[in-house]
Amino acid sequence: MPGEEWPQGEVQEPVEELSSLHYVEWADYEEIDDNVVRFSVVMGNPNCNGLQYEVEETEDEVAVAVISGMREGVEMCTADAFFGAIDVELEEPVGDRDVVDLSEGR
């Protein structure tokens, strides 16, 4: 749930080719640089699962959805949960804008 603090896991590079895509809840975020925000998530085994993101920016808010899926070539994987993170690049710094979950209502 946004606002809760979760332990941050290893930062994952976005993976373009994933299957079985689904939204994952991000619990916390941190501004890393002017135009980079890091989102913490619980994800599957990083050897099997990868992350992507969608972002929509307006004058008033930054809406981010984190998406998980299976990496290409992976057929079976354990159902372990891992703490992970992904860096989201923005067009403009967050500033006074609200950061919200884009996946809600989708």
Side-chain angles (χ1 to χ4, degrees), residues 43-49 70 74-82:
M43 61 181 290
N45 185 329
N47 294 322
C48 305
N49 295 273
M70 294 292 289
V74 174
E75 294 184 24
M76 294 195 66
C77 194
T78 60
D80 300 323
F82 291 79

Side-chain angles (χ1 to χ4, degrees), residues 29-39 53-58 61-65 86-100:
Y29 67 89
E30 172 186 7
E31 293 180 53
I32 300 299
D33 202 351
D34 283 345
N35 293 41
V36 178
V37 180
R38 180 170 293 159
F39 289 84
Y53 66 84
E54 294 176 10
V55 62
E56 293 180 6
E57 297 182 57
T58 67
E61 70 180 21
V62 176
V64 176
I86 189 167
D87 290 347
V88 174
E89 294 184 27
L90 305 177
E91 292 178 16
E92 300 288 332
V94 172
D96 292 334
R97 299 185 291 174
D98 292 328
V99 179
V100 299

